[in-house]
Amino acid sequence: MKTLFRPSLYTLTLLVVFTGLVLSCTEEKYKESTDETLNITEFLRANEEEYSLFLEILDVTDYASFMNTYGTYTLFLPTNDAVNQYLSDLGASNVADVPMEDLQELAKLHIIDEVFTTVQFNDGKIATPSLQGQFLITGAVNRDGQSNITVNKDARIISSNVEVGNGVIHVIDKALEVADQTLAETIDEDPSLSLFAELIRETGWYDTLDEPLTYDQDSISSHVSVLAQTNEVFQEAGFNTLNDLKERYSHLDDPTNPLDSLNLYVAYRIIPELDYLADLAVKSVVLTKAPLEVISVKLASDSLLLNEETFNGVFEPGVQINRSQSDVTASNGVLHYVNDNFFIKKRFPAPVYFDVADQPEFRQLSSVFRKPGNYADLSRSELSEVTWEGNAAFRLGYLAAATGDGAQLSQAWHGDVVELLRHRTGVINNLEFTTPVLIKGRYKVWVSYRQNGRASSSVRALFNGEALPRLINFTEYGNTDLPERVLESQGYKRHLNITTSRFNSRLAGIIEVPTTGRHTITLESLAYAGGPSWIDVIEFRPVDMDQLYPKMEAGGDGLIDE
């Protein structure tokens, strides 16, 4: 999803910080002098004096052989002292005293099935989850006058980027712990959230936040994210007790009623998906459990702000997320802390710039996603938010362009496109995307693409299954001669901040978004295609908004107002 914000600047800043840490910390080593022919298990056996206890865990769980095979793994390796402390905290005298299931979960939590060196760490969630399923969080701290990278806030990396035959190892001074408490239990355990804990009980939301993690028939998880307020934040807003909150917000005097304002006050703080700070940073709005209500998200410098907007010329300051406290993993979601009290804000239609190449599964391919010159393709079963009718063998391509055709494709927003091979009747004619969150209202829909003479010459767009009136010709060049406003009146525009005939943008029609939420946009090919179609972005602009500006930065991630 493409937004008005600039998460790449945020990411770049954090990468610089982490790179500086790696280069400046005397305690860390960027690359160990090891025999690179050794795989992970062989490396542990060769260094048993330091890592014998974690090796024992791998042996008893039968993961030792698995970690000795070919692959690309990242291992966060606790020292013997770290494992001994873990055993002591459990009241166990040795590894054999720990239940097998707990050891298996512990081992998997320390392993990621992809290589991540420290220069790839951001201040937040690592893009790929551990084999256990939970995400790991990295950050920077200063302790005893030294800067270190931490994992899950507590474990320090004391030796980094140890290259082995099947991946990389980062040595940590504390064993990572599986988050086995629900969000409700996590909130209960924090004394600073005692009033918030009372509030979720009073409104009936405690039981929801205490439910174990489940998956539906489509493998969609029941993860939720909670925006919690500390006692101090409540007090600054004038709320010292639960009764204070009931008097202010419970207009039906029945907090368990979903229509009661106090119930909605809590529901508005629950996001029905797993959103770490890194996820929020690349979104413009998120849905909440309050029906049809959303929270806007804005990245400003290194801060994440909720509901900061300017309406009718009036600036409304946002509520800041407390980054240092947030990203607390629970068994069924993630907990964040906010610095101010807030309530539901009525939202008006807002532009959404949908980068169709920014799919969750492509984003997880860290060695490919937005790395110039790289290509990947995924099958229908591997994509959670894209589907199609037709040939099941078809694969959706992701192209971060650089050379050849790529020299021009790299001018796309973010420098990447979705590539549809043989987008035609009988092969793959209905390609359906799940949109980002759209706020209820009327929008003009623009489909922007890179021209290809062999692509489909007749494509129909459908919103929630309803056909839009204008067809799209992916073989059609962009017009570089007509004035922009004349071009717009004919249903075309130049969506990039450069003048090029290779890219074109077609107005597909006007839609009425009936409810705030995620919807579907389908591209149906009505003609033969002998080559690929390259789609850059699908724009949803409110009908009363300027349809030409802001433009998208060619090859970059910005929005250009002039």
Side-chain angles (χ1 to χ4, degrees), residues 138-151:
T138 58
V141 297
N142 288 303
R143 292 180 185 173
D144 302 324
Q146 289 204 9
S147 295
N148 292 97
I149 297 174
T150 61
V151 184

Side-chain angles (χ1 to χ4, degrees), residues 248-474:
R248 172 64 178 84
Y249 293 117
S250 185
H251 77 295
L252 298 179
D253 199 27
D254 181 9
T256 61
N257 187 331
L259 299 179
D260 186 88
S261 293
L262 187 60
N263 193 287
L264 291 169
Y265 177 91
V266 176
Y268 194 56
R269 286 159 171 72
I270 303 175
I271 302 169
E273 59 188 4
L274 186 65
D275 279 330
Y276 285 85
L277 296 184
D279 302 308
L280 294 174
V282 296
K283 297 185 176 182
S284 60
V285 289
V286 290
L287 287 172
T288 71
K289 286 286 191 177
L292 305 183
E293 300 295 348
V294 299
I295 295 174
S296 67
V297 185
K298 181 177 183 179
L299 179 64
S301 185
D302 61 349
S303 298
L304 276 174
L305 301 173
L306 308 177
N307 287 342
E308 178 164 294
E309 303 288 348
T310 299
F311 287 118
N312 298 322
V314 178
F315 174 72
E316 300 175 1
V319 173
Q320 188 176 26
I321 294 180
N322 188 317
R323 285 180 48 209
S324 62
Q325 288 183 291
S326 297
D327 273 349
V328 178
T329 300
S331 61
N332 58 349
V334 60
L335 177 66
H336 303 300
Y337 293 72
V338 294
N339 289 341
D340 295 286
N341 184 56
F342 66 102
F343 193 62
I344 294 172
K345 254 184 192 177
K346 189 65 179 176
R347 287 287 155 225
F348 301 96
V352 171
Y353 308 105
F354 180 23
D355 176 3
V356 292
D358 191 359
Q359 298 298 325
E361 293 75 19
F362 287 139
R363 180 172 281 275
Q364 287 184 10
L365 303 176
S366 59
S367 61
V368 174
F369 187 71
R370 292 181 181 163
K371 301 293 194 302
N374 283 283
Y375 178 87
D377 54 39
L378 296 175
S379 68
R380 184 168 56 194
S381 62
E382 293 173 305
L383 293 159
S384 61
E385 297 183 1
V386 186
T387 189
W388 54 82
E389 297 174 2
N391 193 334
F394 175 83
R395 297 175 71 83
L396 185 67
Y398 170 87
L399 179 60
T403 59
D405 279 332
Q408 292 168 337
L409 286 170
S410 63
Q411 295 173 339
W413 201 29
H414 286 132
D416 58 7
V417 294
V418 155
E419 183 175 67
L420 289 70
L421 296 174
R422 303 298 189 268
H423 185 211
R424 68 190 191 206
T425 303
V427 180
I428 167 63
N429 58 303
N430 288 333
L431 185 71
E432 180 181 285
F433 296 93
T434 300
T435 72
V437 173
L438 299 172
I439 299 172
K440 179 180 178 181
R442 298 183 76 226
Y443 296 82
K444 290 186 177 181
V445 179
W446 297 86
V447 178
S448 301
Y449 59 92
R450 196 277 200 179
Q451 181 274 347
N452 182 14
R454 299 172 62 222
S456 177
S457 60
S458 182
V459 174
R460 178 168 55 191
L462 301 93
F463 181 73
N464 290 342
E466 295 292 327
L468 302 186
R470 291 176 171 172
L471 298 179
I472 306 158
N473 180 358
F474 285 143

